[in-house]
Structures are given as C-alpha cells and as structure tokens.
Amino acid sequence: MPRKMLQFTHLHQRQPEKRGAAERRKDFGEISTAFGASQAGEQASRCEQCGIPFCSIHCPLGNNVPDWLMLVAQDRMEEAYAVSSATNTFPEICGRICPQDRLCEGNCVLEQSTHGNVTIGAVEKHITETAFAEGWVKPVLPGAETGRSVGIVGGGPAGLAAAESLRRKGHAVTVYDRHDRMGGLLIYGIPGFKLEKDVVERRIRLLAEAGVKFETGVEIGKTVSFAELRARHDAVLIATGVYKAKPLGINGADLPGVHAALDYLIAQNRRDLGETVAELDAKGRNVVVIGGGDTAMDCVRTAIRQGAKSVKCLYRRDRANMPGSKREVAHAEEEGVEFVWMAAPEAVTGAKKAEGVRAVRMHLGMPDSSGRQSPVAIEGSGFTLASDMVIAALGFDPEDMPVLFGAPELKVSKWGTVETDATLMTSLPGVFGAGDIVRGASLVVWAIKDGRDAAEAIHRYVSAKSAQAAE
C-alpha cells in the first residue's frame, strides 16, 4: 500500500524487536529480528524528505537515503534496491553494522527535533534482504572484457568493493588474501551477533559468479613476491587493512592470560564457521577488557556468550567520551557487562599468569590536541580487578608494509599507513591503496567508499594504458 511521507507527526519511531538479553547470551545469532514489509514501510514514511538531506551528507558513501525511503513507503521495493545498491556495494552489511547513531541516523533532522530519527539502518537491511529473497540481486556481469588485469591484495571490505566495481567495468580481477577465507574483518573480526557469516559468504559467492577470482592462503612477500604480483597485473591495489594490535604498554602485558582483541575474536569466529578451536575461551573466567571502542564491545559481548564468570570493561574516560557506539554499550549492559568508567590500567598482576588488573581512577582534565578532555590519574586511587583473562582492545596499527612485501620503495607515513597521491596511487607506478591501510583503522563503510574510489582511479589508469598501447 503506497504511503504518504512526513508521517512522523503521528507515527512513533520503532526499532526492530530485539531478542531478550537472556536469550541473546546463549548464542551468536543476530540480536534483532528483521522488519516486516508493513513495519519497514511505516518507518520509512516518517522521513521528512529534507531539502538538505543531512542523512546523506553524513553517510561516507553519500547514499540517497530519502529517495529509497520514499520508494519503500510506496512499496516500490525493486526500485528501492536499485537506488540503495547504486551507491553501496554491500548495503546488507552496512544496514547491520554501520554505527548509524554516529552517521545518518544521528544527523537525521527528526533526531535533532526530538521526534526520533528514521530507522535508516533497519530499512536498508530490509530492502536488501527483500531483494535477495525476490531474486533481484544478480552477479555483476560486464558488457565486454577490457583485456586488462588487476590484482587486489586483501579480501576485506575495501578490496571486495574495488573488485566488484572493477569487474563491472570488464577488467579481470584476482583478489589475494593470506587467510583461508575471503572477507577480512567481516568474517574474522566482527562477531556473528552483529553480522552472521552467511551474509558475507553470500556476497562473496556473487562476486565469484561475476568472474572475480579468489586466491586464499597467499602471503605477498612469501608465497608470491610483490615484484611478481606487479608483473602479473596491469595494476595492483593494496587493501590489506590493519591487523597489528596497539600495545598495552604496562607491566605484565606479556603474561599468559593477556590476549590481543583480534586474536580472541578470530578464535570465536572460527568456531562460528564450524572449526574446532580450543584456546581463547572465556568460559568460567573473570574477564577484563581494556578499551572503549567497538572492538572492545565485541570482546565483552563475546565473553558473555562464552559463559564468562564475570565481564568488566575498563575505560579511562566516561560514557559520554567513549568512542564506541552508544547502542553497543547499551546492548552490552543489557547482557550483563559491567563498565568501570574513568579508570586506567597500570599493570597486569600475577606471578606466572594473569591474576588481576591494577588500575587507577581518573578525572578529565584539559582538552588534548583532538579537543577531547585528557584523562588524569587521581593520586592514591589505585584498585585491583580480579582477572585471569585480560583482553587488550586499544585499536590497530598497520604492519610494516615495505618489509612485509619486500618493497622498500613503497612509501609509508610516520604512522605506517601507505601513502597515496590524489589519484590514490602509491609511490610505485600502477600500485594503488585503499581502506584502513591508507586512512588508518576506521569503519567498514569508509573502506567500501575507499575501495570504490580506488576502482575508479585504477580504471582510469589501465584505460589510459590501453589507449597508449593502441596509438
């Protein structure tokens, strides 16, 4: 049934129904049920159709959100999918894991006017799942082959987004990844309760059906030299992401029982994929996760589901200054996580293994260079949290790419990120960069944007090579 827009005056905001916390704690399935057609249409009809769509402006991909909300409200679902997928390679993934409260929904005019934002993420998920159910999502098959070849190093969101765009233009595309599956952090880093693995695998199958070739277990610099990779292809894209854990930097950080967040999350995601993984299980343990970002939230909520005896999140600032999604914090609290705000670790205690985390209370002082108030230790406020499993979730740094690839001429920044010019080309001709390895650890939606942009730059580059060869 077609609906009129601007229905926020009498339709209240409704999020998809969440499963109860007690039920969620028992499995790694997604926590929310999907909108039905009627619910999605009603919630979409709340959109104001703003003249200046702040939702689109604050979306890294510039999604045409008001347009596809209107189409959903009018039950024109196939058109809604066409508009949604025109700017987003993986709308079914972004609808699930984007921090909409910090991006499109957080900047919705209805949110600012206290009516409650349009539930953009849930509607986006509904559009794409409807499209898959109806058979509207097809492999992207090019009209003609260009005869040019592109190699992509990294099968995460940036690499896969670039692969789809390049294949669409008719280029032969091969994606290399050192892991045994494609997907990068979508598969190995993000827990199933946020993104079930079959959602990612479904999209990867579509890319394979479109003709994208995937080679797993390939370590550039070991399995294949970087020079050989460049010789195989007309252009190369580095989209490896960033995997190296930021160091904890306190005494006792090397004790058994102290783990990097990604190692911990990978172990559980492998279990979800059907593998047997004995180590890194929080069952019966007193877990302390150090950090306040989305990765920390993934860790604490994973530990709850593994049956930890207690789970605490230690963060040196307050709730208002926490970098992670406020929704994720709320979900964690509902599931039984205890937050220890305004406290920083000083040491991991224990003689032969982790037994606790010694911490100190903090207060917020003067702003630092980023504008955030700096945490300052309160003298004499030390305390200890009992913990036989400590997880460091302080973020990620790039690996040493010139050394890893055996390419000392590859220029990197002082932070270790790969440097690119305005065309997204690195210091090496024909070698481009995209995603976290260029911008630093960031959101999946930014990686998709970077991958799409890099694909356009690579297309221009190889097209120019073809034109020169034809002269």
Side-chain angles (χ1 to χ4, degrees):
M1 177 186 71
R3 302 168 181 83
K4 294 180 179 180
M5 303 304 289
L6 284 81
Q7 298 302 298
F8 67 91
T9 55
H10 67 276
L11 284 177
H12 294 296
Q13 181 209 66
R14 280 190 61 189
Q15 296 285 351
E17 294 293 328
K18 284 192 296 185
R19 296 189 292 143
E23 179 186 349
R24 301 193 320 243
R25 290 165 59 107
K26 297 176 183 177
D27 61 52
F28 282 83
E30 292 183 12
I31 72 168
S32 296
T33 58
F35 271 155
S38 177
Q39 291 174 309
E42 287 180 354
Q43 290 301 301
S45 73
R46 296 181 67 248
C47 175
E48 275 198 280
Q49 297 289 287
C50 301
I52 300 176
F54 291 103
C55 54
S56 296
I57 291 169
H58 288 273
C59 171
L61 289 163
N63 284 339
N64 299 310
V65 177
D67 292 349
W68 49 254
L69 287 174
M70 181 184 67
L71 291 166
V72 171
Q74 295 175 353
D75 288 334
R76 296 159 63 185
M77 294 301 298
E78 189 168 4
E79 293 169 85
Y81 175 69
V83 174
S84 171
S85 59
T87 54
N88 190 349
T89 314
F90 311 126
E92 73 279 16
I93 293 173
C94 288
R96 287 170 163 87
I97 66 171
C98 259
Q100 289 97 0
D101 55 335
R102 287 159 32 203
L103 299 172
C104 55
E105 294 182 9
N107 290 280
C108 174
V109 170
L110 293 182
E111 180 70 11
Q112 310 308 315
S113 64
T114 72
H115 287 88
N117 61 268
V118 178
T119 48
I120 296 168
V123 175
E124 183 178 36
K125 173 184 172 181
H126 169 74
I127 292 170
T128 317
E129 291 306 318
T130 299
F132 272 107
E134 295 292 335
W136 301 331
V137 186
K138 304 289 187 184
V140 175
L141 300 174
E145 301 291 341
T146 65
R148 292 293 182 177
S149 171
V150 181
I152 298 175
V153 185
L160 294 179
E164 193 269 357
S165 296
L166 288 163
R167 186 67 195 125
R168 183 187 295 271
K169 296 179 185 301
H171 305 302
V173 180
T174 303
V175 182
Y176 304 89
D177 199 283
R178 60 185 168 186
H179 295 101
D180 56 354
R181 291 178 176 87
M182 290 291 158
L185 292 181
L186 298 176
I187 284 286
Y188 288 120
I190 299 174
F193 52 78
K194 289 169 65 176
L195 179 63
E196 292 180 352
K197 303 310 159 194
D198 59 348
V199 174
V200 183
E201 291 172 331
R202 178 179 62 185
R203 183 59 73 168
I204 293 170
R205 286 194 299 272
L206 274 173
L207 291 173
E209 290 170 15
V212 175
K213 295 180 180 179
F214 295 115
E215 294 193 17
T216 57
V218 177
E219 288 195 57
I220 306 303
K222 291 184 179 179
T223 314
V224 178
S225 72
F226 193 55
E228 181 183 344
L229 184 72
R230 293 180 68 191
R232 287 182 186 179
H233 302 285
D234 297 294
V236 170
L237 174 64
I238 301 173
T240 56
V242 292
Y243 283 82
K244 187 173 73 173
K246 287 183 181 292
L248 198 50
I250 57 176
N251 290 334
D254 56 349
L255 284 171
V258 181
H259 309 285
L262 190 56
D263 293 342
Y264 175 63
L265 293 172
I266 287 174
Q268 180 55 50
N269 280 318
R270 287 192 176 279
R271 293 186 191 99
D272 289 347
L273 289 162
E275 299 181 28
T276 300
V277 182
E279 65 272 13
L280 294 176
D281 192 335
K283 186 176 182 179
R285 313 282 288 275
N286 291 307
V287 178
V288 171
V289 176
I290 301 170
D294 289 335
T295 301
M297 296 306 98
D298 292 345
C299 290
V300 293
R301 297 179 66 200
T302 294
I304 286 286
R305 285 160 173 77
Q306 290 179 343
K309 184 177 180 181
S310 69
V311 181
K312 295 180 174 66
C313 181
L314 187 70
Y315 182 58
R316 61 182 183 161
R317 290 185 169 94
D318 58 9
R319 180 191 291 266
N321 285 280
M322 201 169 192
S325 166
K326 291 179 173 57
R327 289 180 186 172
E328 290 297 308
V329 174
H331 293 156
E333 288 180 320
E334 291 168 2
E335 292 164 5
V337 175
E338 179 185 343
F339 285 84
V340 184
W341 307 106
M342 302 293 294
E346 289 189 319
V348 177
T349 61
K352 296 183 179 181
K353 61 180 182 179
E355 296 177 3
V357 177
R358 189 171 72 243
V360 61
R361 301 289 179 187
M362 312 292 283
H363 73 87
L364 294 179
M366 298 297 292
D368 59 18
S369 58
S370 70
R372 299 171 74 198
Q373 287 180 277
S374 300
V376 180
I378 299 174
E379 189 174 349
S381 65
F383 64 99
T384 299
L385 297 172
S387 176
D388 53 355
M389 187 174 194
V390 180
I391 300 172
L394 303 179
F396 306 101
D397 285 326
E399 295 162 275
D400 191 333
M401 301 306 294
V403 171
L404 199 66
F405 283 6
E409 65 276 22
L410 179 66
K411 289 185 179 179
V412 296
S413 71
K414 63 181 180 181
W415 300 282
T417 52
V418 171
E419 291 188 343
T420 60
D421 61 18
T423 68
L424 302 182
M425 192 182 294
T426 68
S427 56
L428 302 176
V431 178
F432 297 77
D436 288 2
I437 194 59
V438 174
R439 71 165 59 244
S442 188
L443 302 173
V444 167
V445 66
W446 276 113
I448 296 170
K449 168 73 162 58
D450 293 345
R452 291 169 67 99
D453 288 348
E456 290 296 326
I458 291 169
H459 174 65
R460 290 191 294 270
Y461 174 78
V462 298
S463 297
K465 286 181 67 174
S466 296
Q468 290 172 0
E471 291 178 356

